[in-house]
Structure formats: C-alpha cells, structure tokens
Amino acid sequence: MSFIYRILLVTALSLSLSTTSFAADEPEKPQTLFKNVQVWDGTSKTLSSATNVLIEGSTIKKVGASTGDARSDAAVIEGQGKVLMPGLIDMHSHLTLSSSSAVAFENSTWEEIGARTALVAEEVLLDGFTSVRDMGGMNGKGVKRMIDNGELDGPRIFPSGGFIGATSSHSDFRLLTMRNPTLDGVKDSNMLRLEVGYVVDGVDQVLAASRRNFQLGASQLKLMIGGGVATEYDPWHSTTFTFDEIKAAVDVADGYGSYVAAHINQPESIKLAIEAGVKSVEHGFVIDEPTMKMLVKNDVWLSSQLTGTSRELTQLPSLTPENLRKLDLAHAEMSDFYNLVKKYKPKQVFAVDAVLASRDVYINQRRHEIYLFAQNFGNHAMLKAATSSAGELLGMTKQTTYHEGPIGVIQDGAYADILLVDGNPLEDISVIGGSELWLKAPKPEPISTINVIMKGGEIFKNTL
C-alpha cells in the first residue's frame, strides 16, 4: 500500500468517524403528538375523520400518525375531536403603525413605537395569526429578529420595509411644515428618520429605496402608486408614480428573487402597475371589469381589506374632514367590487390593514374582517385566503428567513403553525374570532374557542 493511499484511507476513516460521532451527538428534536383531531388542511371543503398529527421540531412530521410513530418522550395533546387547522395569516399588516393618528406617530419617540409594535405583535399571535405580511413600516432587523430569536412573542413576519412613495403620495405622512428630503436633503419626520417610509422622486431614488429595503431584510417591496383615504395630500383619483418608477422597483425585486406589491385602487393605476410587473394589488376597490380580466390573466394577486368598504369607517376618530371627504368619493365608486370578485374569482388573500387606531380597535377590526370576508365570499373562501392561498403568495419570495417548509397548510413537511379549535370554522366562523361587531364591539377578550396556538412547533397558548 502506497504512502499516499494510506494517508487517503486514514483521512476518509477519520471523516467517517467524526460525521458518525456528530450525528450521534446531535440532540433529537422535540416531538408533540396531537391525538384524536379532525384536520382542516388549508384547502379542503371538509374536515378529515379523527386522526393524529405528529410534530417534530418546527415542522409537521406526519399527518395521520400512529402512536407508534412518536417517541416515548413526545408531548401528547389529547384533541378530544376538536379541529386542527393551519395558523391564520394576515397579508396586509402594519405592526409599527399602531399610534392613534399620524400626528401621534410623529409625536412618538422610537421606544414608544417599538414598545407598541411588540405589544401588537403578541396580540396578533394570540388571536391565532401565526404569520403576517407587513405591508410597510417594518424591516427585518428589529422586532422580527427578536421574535425569530425567541426574545419576543409574535407571528412570523414577512416585512416590506419602508413604504416607497413619491412626494404627495399615500406614503407621504409628513406634516406640511416638515421639509422635503428630495428638495432639502433633510429628514424632519419620524417616518423618514426611522425608515418607516421613503419619499422618493425619480427612478434613481426608487432604485436606492428598493435596495435599502432589501438590505434591511425586506421580503418584498411595497409601492404607493395610487391615492388613498387616510392621508392628506394624495387625491383619491391620483396615480403618483410613473411607469418607469414602478418598473425600477420591479427590476430590483426581480434581482432579489422577490416581487412588488402596490397600494392601488383606480383602474388606470392598476393597469399601469400590472404592465410594469407588480404581482400583488393591495385594495383595488375601484377595479372595473376589463382591469379585473387583466389582473386574472396576468396571475396577479388581490389583497383587499373589506373593512375598507364599510360605512363604519366614518366613525374612526383618526380620520380628518379631508379623509372623510375622500372616503365618500371612494365608497361612491366601489359598487362593482364584490360582484367582479365573485364573477372572476381572482387569486385572493386575507388582509386586515389595521392602521392608526387604538389597540382595542385594531383587535376588533381583525375579528370583524374575518366576519366580513366570510359573509361576502363564504367561510371556506375566507379560511383558504388566510391559510394556503396566503402561504402560496408568501412563497413567491426568496428573501425570507423561513426555509424549512410550506406555510399555511397541514401536510407532512410544512411548518407546524397550528390552531386547535373547539368548533368547525367551515360552518361557524366565530370559532376563530369572526365578529359582526367592529367599532361598537365590547373590549376584546381572548378567543376562548381557540384552545391551542402553536407556531413552529412551539406552543404559545394551551387551555386544554
């Protein structure tokens, strides 16, 4: 045997032994066995018969497991025939914007904003929402990182980073006395200093803001392309970005393996966005039939908070007379929205869009949104929009820290984001918190019919 051959053999044996030793020393992942549960998997129109579901580590190891599939040290949860379903997903959240108004936000210090964000994140999780897509205001290096590290309780967060909008757009929250960074290079406002949003004009500034968001941990980008209600300076009918500006953000997102979502309502703005490559239309309430056909043909998602169609919005204390004037204009143009969605059935996800409201209003809006979606499109459509469909859209970005499995479904290999519910949500949406009341609702209490909340294999609530 040659000297070189002996060296190679010894090296190979050494590597083999060290690998075997490492595997033997690697701790076993904890297991949890849910016994005697009816599974709603995120897509089906019916529940399964009684079965078991085995969790190992952060993912689902086996749906339909036997007791013999679990180790002797597995934690056992006796499901008592209750419904095991995916954790819910809010696809249009604003965790950082929980101040009562834009002025209150500007008068808040950074630690107030951070503390409120942490409180809201915990409340979102305890309402059964194990994931959110934050659609402006939050990056991936703050509260999200603390949640992922186990320092705070909260949902998985797919952040968009700062809103990207032009001067006098829906993301320009500045007071009129605050200077424009494009003109003066000065950042007077909390929104700009804390990178909650960017006021950008021109392709170069859009490119810079888009790249900065991904640097800070954004999963996708959020553009403010059209006018909105809750801001002062953007007319309801306006389109505040050009095609080239929108395309610049889309090009950056494509390069990062991600996509652009956009705040838009008017048909002209929606068409412009789709032509430029936007993949998720946020709101879209004034969409017309030709534009809806275009949206469906181009496989673009619709993410609409249905409380936006409610006349109760007029009672929100944060709305100014100008906001209320724009709200009247908006509601006058929304008459075809529900009929077009029902007729063309676009790919749709569940969205809450609670913003600039007290914590109680925030919670009650989330629960009322569940009710509204179910009332207008059916319980199954609501549940699917808030689980498997939402998970499909979340999966359209490579810019994420969550790589272990699918989200929003109950299947082998998926993330163990799970609710155990006392009641059948396919028949009674109130068992996951759906409520007919919003602004007149009493002070919110924990949802008693959600017995277990698990995220990534870790239990955050168990009342059994």
Side-chain angles (χ1 to χ4, degrees), residues 39-44 46-47 84-86 383-384 387 410 426:
V39 171
W40 183 69
D41 61 9
T43 61
S44 300
T46 58
L47 305 178
L84 185 146
M85 61 175 284
L383 292 164
K384 190 169 182 287
T387 56
I410 303 298
L426 291 168

Side-chain angles (χ1 to χ4, degrees), residues 223 225 239 242-243 246-247 250 254 260-282 284 287-302 346:
L223 296 186
I225 293 176
T239 299
T242 66
F243 175 88
I246 301 168
K247 186 66 165 59
V250 169
D254 285 347
V260 172
H263 168 103
I264 359 176
N265 280 292
Q266 301 291 345
E268 296 79 10
S269 303
I270 297 171
K271 290 174 185 173
L272 187 71
I274 294 173
E275 288 168 356
V278 165
K279 289 300 181 186
S280 179
V281 167
E282 309 301 306
I287 193 167
D288 59 16
E289 190 159 18
T291 310
M292 178 65 84
K293 290 179 180 178
M294 181 181 182
L295 181 140
V296 171
K297 181 180 178 181
N298 286 273
D299 216 25
V300 174
W301 290 84
L302 182 64

Side-chain angles (χ1 to χ4, degrees), residues 20-33:
T20 303
S21 174
F22 175 78
D25 293 339
E26 186 177 357
E28 291 183 312
K29 296 177 181 179
Q31 289 186 335
T32 301
L33 180 65

Side-chain angles (χ1 to χ4, degrees), residues 55-374:
I55 311 303
E56 185 171 278
S58 62
T59 60
I60 298 170
K61 184 175 179 63
K62 188 173 183 180
V63 179
S66 68
T67 53
D69 291 316
R71 300 193 307 265
S72 60
D73 63 346
V76 177
I77 295 178
E78 176 52 59
Q80 305 166 18
K82 300 180 191 298
V83 174
L84 185 146
M85 61 175 284
L88 300 171
I89 303 170
D90 175 8
M91 292 297 284
H92 194 118
S93 181
H94 294 293
L95 298 181
T96 56
L97 299 179
S98 57
S99 301
S100 58
S101 67
V103 173
F105 181 83
E106 286 298 337
N107 284 328
S108 297
T109 60
W110 62 265
E111 66 266 32
E112 287 179 281
I113 296 168
R116 287 196 197 101
T117 302
L119 287 170
V120 169
E122 182 177 22
E123 289 164 348
V124 166
L125 177 61
L126 293 178
D127 254 15
F129 284 81
T130 51
S131 295
V132 301
R133 188 178 61 152
D134 194 272
M135 293 310 292
M138 171 177 281
N139 65 54
K141 307 299 185 188
V143 170
K144 169 183 162 52
R145 182 162 58 183
M146 294 184 73
I147 290 171
D148 290 346
N149 290 343
E151 299 172 81
L152 291 173
D153 290 348
R156 301 181 191 285
I157 300 173
F158 289 74
S160 301
F163 302 98
I164 301 175
T167 298
S168 194
S169 71
H170 189 56
S171 64
D172 192 351
F173 301 136
R174 296 171 303 119
L175 307 179
L176 282 177
T177 53
M178 294 175 177
R179 289 163 289 185
N180 189 321
T182 299
L183 301 175
D184 303 299
V186 178
K187 296 179 179 179
D188 282 336
S189 74
N190 265 341
M191 181 191 74
L192 298 176
R193 282 192 301 268
L194 301 176
E195 297 183 279
V196 169
Y198 302 98
V199 174
V200 295
D201 297 294
V203 167
D204 288 347
Q205 291 192 349
V206 172
L207 291 172
S210 299
R211 290 167 179 153
R212 176 61 173 164
N213 274 332
F214 283 127
Q215 181 183 32
L216 288 172
S219 297
Q220 63 283 318
L221 299 178
K222 167 74 174 300
L223 296 186
M224 297 298 208
I225 293 176
V229 167
T231 39
E232 295 288 316
Y233 317 127
D234 53 319
W236 170 247
H237 61 269
S238 62
T239 299
T240 53
F241 266 141
T242 66
F243 175 88
D244 288 342
E245 288 171 317
I246 301 168
K247 186 66 165 59
V250 169
D251 288 345
V252 172
D254 285 347
Y256 278 82
S258 186
Y259 66 93
V260 172
H263 168 103
I264 359 176
N265 280 292
Q266 301 291 345
E268 296 79 10
S269 303
I270 297 171
K271 290 174 185 173
L272 187 71
I274 294 173
E275 288 168 356
V278 165
K279 289 300 181 186
S280 179
V281 167
E282 309 301 306
H283 318 305
F285 290 124
V286 191
I287 193 167
D288 59 16
E289 190 159 18
T291 310
M292 178 65 84
K293 290 179 180 178
M294 181 181 182
L295 181 140
V296 171
K297 181 180 178 181
N298 286 273
D299 216 25
V300 174
W301 290 84
L302 182 64
S303 172
S304 307
Q305 90 292 4
L306 303 185
T307 48
T309 67
S310 171
R311 292 303 302 176
E312 277 196 81
L313 275 172
T314 60
Q315 301 169 34
L316 281 175
S318 62
L319 296 184
T320 67
E322 174 60 16
N323 298 152
L324 292 171
R325 186 190 70 81
K326 291 204 287 183
L327 183 59
D328 284 339
L329 290 173
H331 281 161
E333 296 179 352
M334 292 181 183
S335 58
D336 290 338
F337 175 77
Y338 285 107
N339 289 335
L340 288 173
V341 172
K342 291 174 182 177
K343 180 177 180 178
Y344 289 100
K345 296 180 172 55
K347 295 195 300 185
Q348 195 172 11
V349 291
F350 177 84
V352 177
D353 194 24
V355 62
L356 300 178
S358 69
R359 287 166 61 201
D360 286 356
V361 170
Y362 195 121
I363 294 169
N364 286 331
Q365 180 175 340
R366 183 164 55 243
R367 297 176 183 181
H368 185 56
E369 185 68 42
I370 293 172
Y371 167 85
L372 276 182
F373 202 115

